[in-house]
């Protein structure tokens, strides 16, 4: 279970404090709705460790993670754009999630092939990322989530720029991955439809505070 | 070129990751000004620091009772001055490329636990690669056609560039035939270089840098390295300028400014700079508009001849790169010998032509994208409303390109004011510019007067470079 308790964050003095409290169980998808600039993505940045809260705790299975550095945190984050290294192949993009050496092992490559099959991109293993469509690029980013095997998945409006059909396909893929791999998924979105389709709980960011709807 | 790119790249990397310290924007603005700093002033400042009687030797004498001697003149000095001029120019363009990297990429790299080296390889290098290539081509051509630095710091003919050899053949040996041969060689090589770098594009911008503030801190050791790079380069960059200011303040300005030759050279320089900068702006406007006409689908861009004519027009703007100023000057010099007109007329025409050609590649690199952008944005509505060209200029065009025009005007003015190229062929007691006058003072060891004139030149250049763009500020650009 991922427990976020009384997290407070302030961007600068005289700016308002954001307050966050929420829980996410394994296999659960929690959506956060709210207007632009309301502080939805700030929570993801805090969980990922990009920024440090002034108060509060984040606990995953009884382990406090606020004190951990970004790279030590058990999470993978997906943004709306710039999730991939566009000049590299699909295979290398996924492998960079686990291995940073120039020569990758056969086992790792086989693992990538299996994961690509899971996300429906087995034919694109050696394609350069920039040649893929927006939906395919996000599938590659999701494939990297799978290879990393981190229990927390943070989605910062990753499907906002896609057409409706592709977006719905991607949402279904997230739901499948989240369930099969026991992920704690938090998804920031503008679309109520996204929430209705895959979220188990929906939170609303209003008046700088996260409220369960 | 490699040294300049290496130093400039390191500096840009350090500045990109240390984006929040006090005085950063002033430091970056100072590095930007290296583009317009007169070469002669830079060399004068470098001699003040690293020369035989420079501050470094004086410090060494004070501390260790021994000096480094005379080590500046020759290859070392030439490299030092070129790195000074080009590394800061490169760093400014590369910093812009670093700062254009989306924040998400850095977050991704961090969450994937990349080392600093991996982050550079996978995130930063791909983003700066094309800028690196363009800047590399620019610096290579600038170094290849370098004149003033080599003339002043070359020390011996073994380090001469073709431009200096042409100058020496004309002015010292009076061997016009040799000068012509050298000019043809220079012309041929320059043309090949320009063709080879046909995708050449000068990355110069009046855009302010945006701070890509990454919310977490770098590892302490990396931070130390970045700070060390910034401090060392800032010291390297600022110290020659500081020397000019310190030494210059001790000069007898009343006497310098009362000298007829100084007054004459100042007046000539300012007049030439004003005329050539205005002409540069005018020609850049015409060329940019023509390029736009030929490239946009809403205009002539769909005609079969468009791309060929566009190539010719673009090349004419970059003529300076293929025809170095000394070669151009030699041409005018030969015409002046053949026709009976007062020499000052030919000198003026030659200098104005060279100055305009020198500024045009930069002017086009700034203005052309701005005009292109305005057309792409407003063509459809302007055409549908049936606005006249004048209405279009007043309501649509000028507000959006105003700041670019101001920047070009300042840039061309400063380039012209500080140039010690073609004047080396035409300079005389009756026709002189401020840089030529300074060069003569340096040559006759009137160091105190030279310091004063260098300071005056520096102040004018920095004043124009800072104040003119402010006059043309636009909220739309």
């Amino acid at each position: 279970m991922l427990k976020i308790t009384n997290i407070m964050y302030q961007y600068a003095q005289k700016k308002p404090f954001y307050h966050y409290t929420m829980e996410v169980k394994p296999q659960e998808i929690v959506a956060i709705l709210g207007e632009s600039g309301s502080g939805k993505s700030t929570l993801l940045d805090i969980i990922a460790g990009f920024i440090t809260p002034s108060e509060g705790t984040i606990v995953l299975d009884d382990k406090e993670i606020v004190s951990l550095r970004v790279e030590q945190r058990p999470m993978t984050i997906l943004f709306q754009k710039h999730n991939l290294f566009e000049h590299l192949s699909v295979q290398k993009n996924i492998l960079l999630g686990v291995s940073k050496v120039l020569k990758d092992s056969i086992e790792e490559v086989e693992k990538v092939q299996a994961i690509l099959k899971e996300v429906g991109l087995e034919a694109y293993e050696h394609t350069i990322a920039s040649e893929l469509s927006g939906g395919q690029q996000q599938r590659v980013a999701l494939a990297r989530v799978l290879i990393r095997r981190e229990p927390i998945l943070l989605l910062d409006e990753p499907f906002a720029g896609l057409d409706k059909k592709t977006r719905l396909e991607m949402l279904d893929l997230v739901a499948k991955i989240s369930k099969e791999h026991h992920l704690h998924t938090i998804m920031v979105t503008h679309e109520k439809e996204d929430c209705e389709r895959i979220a188990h709980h929906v939170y609303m960011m209003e008046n700088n505070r996260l409220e369960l709807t | 070129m490699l040294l300049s790119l290496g130093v400039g790249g390191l500096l840009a990397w350090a500045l990109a990751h240390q984006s929040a310290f006090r005085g950063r924007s002033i430091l970056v603005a100072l590095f930007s000004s290296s583009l317009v700093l007169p070469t002669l002033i830079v060399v004068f400042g470098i001699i003040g620091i690293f020369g035989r009687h420079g501050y470094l030797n004086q410090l060494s004498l004070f501390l260790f009772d021994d000096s480094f001697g005379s080590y500046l003149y020759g290859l070392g000095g030439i490299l030092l001055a070129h790195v000074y001029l080009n590394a800061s120019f490169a760093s400014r363009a590369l910093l812009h490329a670093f700062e254009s990297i989306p924040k998400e990429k850095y977050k991704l790299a961090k969450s994937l636990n990349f080392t600093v080296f991996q982050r550079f390889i996978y995130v930063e290098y791909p983003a700066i690669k094309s800028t690196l290539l363009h800047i590399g081509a620019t610096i290579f051509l600038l170094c290849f056609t370098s004149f003033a630095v080599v003339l002043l710091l070359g020390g011996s003919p073994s380090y001469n560039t073709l431009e200096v050899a042409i100058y020496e053949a004309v002015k010292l040996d009076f061997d016009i035939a040799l000068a012509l041969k050298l000019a043809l060689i220079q012309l041929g090589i320059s043309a090949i270089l320009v063709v080879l770098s046909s995708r050449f594009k000068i990355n110069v911008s009046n855009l302010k840098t945006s701070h890509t503030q990454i919310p977490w801190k770098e590892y302490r050791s990396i931070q130390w390295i970045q700070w060390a790079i910034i401090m060392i380069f800032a010291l390297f960059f600022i110290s020659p300028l500081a020397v000019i200011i310190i030494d210059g303040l001790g000069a007898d300005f009343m006497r310098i400014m009362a000298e007829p030759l100084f007054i004459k050279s100042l007046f000539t320089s300012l007049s030439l700079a004003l005329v050539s900068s205005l002409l540069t702006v005018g020609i850049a406007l015409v060329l940019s508009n023509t390029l736009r006409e030929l490239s946009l689908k809403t205009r002539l861009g769909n005609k079969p001849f468009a791309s060929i004519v566009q190539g010719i027009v673009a090349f004419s703007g970059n003529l300076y790169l293929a025809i170095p100023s000394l070669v151009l000057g030699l041409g005018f010099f030969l015409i002046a010998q053949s026709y009976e007109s007062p020499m000052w007329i030919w000198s003026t025409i030659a200098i104005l032509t060279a100055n305009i050609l020198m500024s045009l590649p930069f002017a086009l690199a700034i203005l052309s994208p701005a005009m292109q952008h305005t057309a792409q944005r407003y063509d459809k509505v302007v055409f549908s409303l049936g606005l006249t060209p004048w209405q279009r200029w007043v309501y649509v065009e000028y507000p959006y390109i105003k700041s670019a025009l101001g920047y070009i005007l300042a840039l061309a003015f400063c380039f012209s004011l500080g140039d010690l190229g073609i004047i080396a062929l035409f300079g005389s007691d009756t026709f002189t510019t401020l840089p030529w006058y300074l060069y003569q003072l340096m040559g006759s060891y009137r160091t105190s007067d030279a310091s004063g004139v260098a300071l005056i030149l520096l102040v004018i250049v920095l004043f124009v470079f800072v104040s003119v763009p402010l006059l043309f500020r636009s909220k739309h650009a």
Side-chain angles (χ1 to χ4, degrees):
Chain A
M1 163 98 84
L2 174 67
K3 274 190 178 176
I4 295 158
T5 315
N6 292 326
I7 285 286
M8 289 177 81
Y9 185 79
Q10 186 185 28
Y11 270 105
Q13 279 191 346
K14 293 182 185 169
K15 293 258 179 181
F17 269 103
Y18 291 124
H19 298 248
Y20 306 97
T21 294
M22 75 185 320
E23 285 183 3
V24 190
K25 293 187 188 118
Q27 295 184 309
E28 217 171 53
I29 298 172
V30 169
I32 304 176
L33 279 168
E35 297 194 346
S36 297
S38 60
K40 307 186 295 289
S41 298
T42 305
L43 175 62
L44 300 195
D45 278 355
I46 292 170
I47 300 170
F50 297 136
I51 50 178
T52 312
S54 46
E55 273 180 46
T57 57
I58 303 174
V59 177
L60 176 71
D61 300 333
D62 301 324
K63 197 181 167 199
E64 167 63 67
I65 64 167
V66 169
S67 56
L68 299 180
R69 290 203 306 268
V70 177
E71 56 272 25
Q72 296 170 325
R73 298 207 180 190
M75 61 86 202
T76 308
I77 186 164
L78 255 64
F79 308 101
Q80 186 180 341
K81 284 189 282 187
H82 310 301
N83 288 302
L84 301 183
F85 304 102
E86 288 85 356
H87 58 294
L88 299 178
S89 70
V90 166
Q91 186 200 67
K92 189 68 193 171
N93 260 291
I94 297 170
L95 281 169
L96 277 174
V98 285
S99 153
K100 280 102 199 171
V101 292
L102 291 176
K103 183 122 181 73
D104 303 299
S105 69
I106 295 167
E107 297 84 66
E108 281 173 339
V109 171
E110 283 173 354
K111 211 184 282 178
V112 169
Q113 287 164 346
I115 287 170
L116 279 174
K117 208 169 182 181
E118 200 174 336
V119 297
L121 285 178
E122 60 270 41
Y124 296 91
E125 188 183 347
H126 300 293
T127 307
I128 298 297
S130 60
E131 292 169 10
L132 299 176
S133 69
Q136 286 170 327
Q137 289 191 3
Q138 297 303 60
R139 275 177 194 268
V140 177
L142 275 174
R144 194 165 56 207
V145 171
L146 295 180
I147 205 165
R148 277 170 63 77
R149 297 194 170 278
E150 299 292 2
I152 303 173
L153 173 59
L154 306 173
L155 304 170
D156 194 355
E157 301 187 54
F159 314 126
L162 305 178
D163 62 82
K164 190 173 177 183
K165 183 174 169 282
T166 314
R167 203 181 83 233
L168 296 179
E169 278 173 17
M170 294 304 297
L171 286 168
D172 293 343
L173 187 59
V174 166
K176 178 174 163 264
I177 287 169
S178 185
K179 190 170 180 199
E180 287 176 4
H181 296 269
H182 293 79
L183 303 180
H184 308 71
T185 304
I186 302 177
M187 174 175 73
V188 163
T189 180
H190 273 111
E191 303 285 341
K192 274 194 178 159
E193 196 184 358
D194 293 2
C195 306
E196 284 159 9
R197 192 165 183 101
I198 63 166
H200 298 95
H201 303 288
V202 178
Y203 283 81
M204 190 79 182
M205 198 64 199
E206 260 180 338
N207 302 322
N208 308 320
R209 193 174 278 278
L210 198 60
E211 306 279 4
L212 187 64
T213 58
Chain B
M1 178 199 73
L2 292 175
L3 266 176
S4 301
L5 279 185
V7 174
L10 273 176
L11 179 64
W13 170 76
L15 280 169
H17 289 284
Q18 295 300 329
S19 58
F21 65 90
R22 204 180 284 259
R24 181 184 183 271
S25 52
I26 296 172
L27 203 60
V28 173
L30 256 180
F31 294 152
S32 308
S33 74
S34 75
L35 193 64
V36 294
L37 281 182
T39 318
L40 194 61
I41 285 193
V42 170
V43 173
F44 192 71
I46 285 176
I47 293 172
I49 296 283
F50 302 100
R52 181 188 280 276
H53 304 293
Y55 282 88
L56 199 64
N57 269 343
Q58 286 180 34
L59 186 71
S60 173
L61 269 174
F62 176 74
L63 293 175
F64 312 111
D65 221 14
D66 194 15
S67 82
F68 297 106
S70 180
Y71 56 90
L72 188 64
Y73 297 94
L75 191 61
I78 293 173
L79 287 176
L80 196 72
H82 280 118
V83 168
Y84 183 97
L85 286 163
N86 297 325
S88 34
F89 166 56
S91 77
R92 183 63 186 77
L94 289 170
L95 179 60
H96 192 63
F98 270 108
E99 288 179 339
S100 307
I101 298 171
K103 220 177 198 175
E104 287 89 344
K105 289 275 187 212
Y106 280 111
K107 285 182 177 178
L108 187 64
K110 188 76 178 163
S111 71
L112 293 176
N113 197 13
F114 280 9
T115 61
V116 171
F117 179 70
Q118 286 161 343
R119 184 180 68 189
F120 180 77
I121 293 297
Y122 293 120
V123 177
E124 294 171 333
Y125 177 68
I128 65 165
K129 197 166 71 178
S130 67
T131 309
L132 212 54
L133 224 62
H134 292 148
I135 288 291
T138 315
I139 293 175
F140 188 88
L141 280 160
L142 290 175
C143 293
F144 183 73
T145 54
S146 179
F147 174 69
V149 169
V150 183
L151 182 70
L152 291 155
L153 294 177
S156 79
S158 53
Y159 297 116
N160 269 4
T161 54
L162 280 167
E163 296 232 342
V164 176
I166 293 169
Y167 163 77
E168 287 178 351
V170 175
K171 292 291 269 195
L172 306 181
D173 305 331
F174 307 106
D175 189 347
I176 300 294
L178 176 66
L180 268 172
K181 278 180 204 162
L182 292 170
L184 280 175
I185 295 170
Q186 168 90 329
L187 206 60
I189 298 175
S190 298
I192 292 168
L193 286 176
V194 171
V195 171
L196 282 179
S197 56
S198 54
R199 290 176 68 193
F200 177 86
K201 201 168 125 194
I202 293 171
N203 277 271
V204 58
S205 165
N206 57 337
L207 295 171
K208 283 190 178 129
T209 60
S210 61
H211 292 202
T212 314
Q213 205 154 359
I214 304 299
W216 60 86
K217 288 200 166 169
E218 296 269 45
Y219 289 110
R220 196 165 284 272
S221 55
I222 301 297
Q223 279 193 58
W224 278 111
I225 294 170
Q226 288 164 348
W227 275 114
I229 293 168
I230 294 170
M231 300 295 272
I232 290 169
F233 194 83
L235 189 70
F236 173 61
F237 188 80
I238 292 169
S239 54
L241 299 182
V243 164
I244 290 167
I245 295 169
I246 293 164
D247 289 354
L249 287 174
D252 183 354
F253 284 104
M254 295 307 283
R255 193 173 49 76
I256 292 172
M257 289 198 272
E259 288 216 19
L261 209 53
F262 170 80
I263 296 167
K264 193 189 273 186
S265 60
L266 180 67
F267 177 75
T268 311
S269 277
L270 290 176
S271 313
L272 285 173
L274 186 66
V275 174
S276 61
S277 56
L278 288 173
L279 284 173
T280 301
V281 169
I283 296 170
L285 271 171
V286 172
L287 285 180
S288 296
N289 190 50
T290 312
L291 283 172
R292 184 169 72 171
E293 288 289 334
L294 294 164
S295 63
L296 291 181
K297 289 268 180 282
T298 43
R299 299 176 179 218
L300 296 169
N302 51 356
K303 297 278 188 299
F305 63 84
S307 61
I308 301 166
V309 184
Q310 194 191 349
I312 296 168
V313 176
F315 182 74
S316 69
N318 290 326
L319 213 56
Y320 170 73
L321 303 166
I323 307 173
S325 63
L326 253 281
V327 176
L328 186 80
L330 181 64
F332 277 109
F333 191 80
L334 293 176
I335 296 172
Q337 304 279 309
S338 320
Y339 295 95
E340 281 189 22
S341 301
M343 193 63 172
W344 68 267
I345 292 179
W346 289 111
S347 308
T348 308
I349 294 171
I351 290 175
L352 282 177
T353 311
N355 287 344
I356 292 166
L357 288 182
M358 178 169 60
S359 309
L360 261 184
F362 294 92
L364 285 180
I366 296 162
L367 193 61
S368 202
M371 288 183 72
Q372 199 92 356
H373 182 67
T374 314
Q376 278 163 347
R377 199 163 157 183
Y378 292 109
D379 257 7
K380 284 180 184 164
V381 65
V382 164
F383 292 151
S384 68
L385 292 173
L387 297 187
T388 63
W390 180 241
Q391 281 176 313
R392 182 189 173 102
W393 170 255
V394 172
Y395 298 119
V396 182
E397 213 82 73
Y398 184 66
Y400 282 90
I401 62 168
K402 189 176 156 189
S403 69
L405 290 179
Y407 188 63
I408 293 168
L409 198 66
L411 208 62
F413 191 96
C414 295
F415 277 161
S416 173
L417 196 69
D419 187 47
L420 180 75
I422 224 163
I423 185 68
L425 289 178
F426 290 95
S428 66
D429 282 349
T430 51
F431 189 82
T432 179
T433 61
L434 215 47
W436 182 246
Y437 179 59
L438 175 58
Y439 176 63
Q440 284 179 317
L441 289 177
M442 286 166 74
S444 54
Y445 300 102
R446 288 169 62 188
T447 315
S448 172
D449 288 355
S451 305
V453 174
L455 181 58
I456 292 169
L457 192 54
L458 180 68
V459 168
I460 298 174
V461 164
L462 290 182
F463 174 75
V464 170
F465 190 59
V466 172
S467 63
V468 171
L470 287 180
L471 293 175
F472 284 80
R473 250 187 321 190
S474 166
K475 59 184 175 193
H476 300 293

